Amino acid sequence: QVAVATNEDDAPQAQSYVETQAETFEEEKEEAVVAPEEVITTGPRSLIGQRVAVEKGINAVLGTVKDYDSETREWSIQYDDDELGEKEVLNRVQLGSAFKLYSKHLADNLKAMWGAGEF
């Protein structure tokens, strides 16, 4: 909607409406701006939220990539099992192995379900 002043008495109202709309637009624009950390599709931070598996003894322990430290170039992993403690830190080689092990874990589970006739 656009307010059009039809006479001199309406001019302040029309100006006020335009200013209000401009302020509203600016507020909505500021709210719509997404911080660079929130939506990242490439780079080391794009791996945050991905699932991994890390070998602990003879078992594979599942977890999630929670954070990336650009100074140390390492990713923090939070395990699903709270008994394993806080986060563990992995470098890029360890993280690559963790992704590979998680993929193997998924494939093995799928194969077991297929063999059990669950599909």
Side-chain angles (χ1 to χ4, degrees):
Q1 292 180 340
V2 176
V4 178
T6 56
N7 60 39
E8 291 178 13
D9 294 335
D10 292 338
Q13 289 177 337
Q15 182 63 27
S16 176
Y17 176 81
V18 170
E19 289 172 356
T20 303
Q21 290 301 317
E23 289 172 9
T24 302
F25 174 76
E26 286 301 318
E27 289 171 5
E28 290 174 355
K29 188 170 117 180
E30 288 174 7
E31 291 174 5
V33 174
V34 178
E37 296 82 31
E38 292 180 25
V39 177
I40 298 177
T41 57
T42 61
R45 291 192 180 277
S46 68
L47 302 175
I48 294 173
Q50 297 294 315
R51 301 286 292 156
V52 295
V54 178
E55 287 184 357
K56 295 284 184 185
I58 60 171
N59 297 321
V61 182
L62 303 178
T64 306
V65 178
K66 290 295 182 182
D67 197 14
Y68 175 73
D69 185 345
S70 59
E71 291 180 16
T72 63
R73 295 183 179 179
E74 295 176 323
W75 290 264
S76 298
I77 308 301
Q78 178 68 51
Y79 294 112
D80 296 347
D81 186 354
D82 292 332
E83 293 179 12
L84 294 174
E86 293 295 315
K87 296 178 181 178
E88 181 173 344
V89 178
L90 302 179
N91 63 30
R92 68 177 178 84
V93 174
Q94 294 166 323
L95 186 65
S97 296
F99 284 133
K100 185 175 180 180
L101 185 59
Y102 184 73
S103 295
K104 182 183 179 323
H105 170 77
L106 289 178
D108 289 348
N109 283 347
L110 184 61
K111 185 177 178 180
M113 287 188 281
W114 183 271
E118 294 181 27
F119 286 109

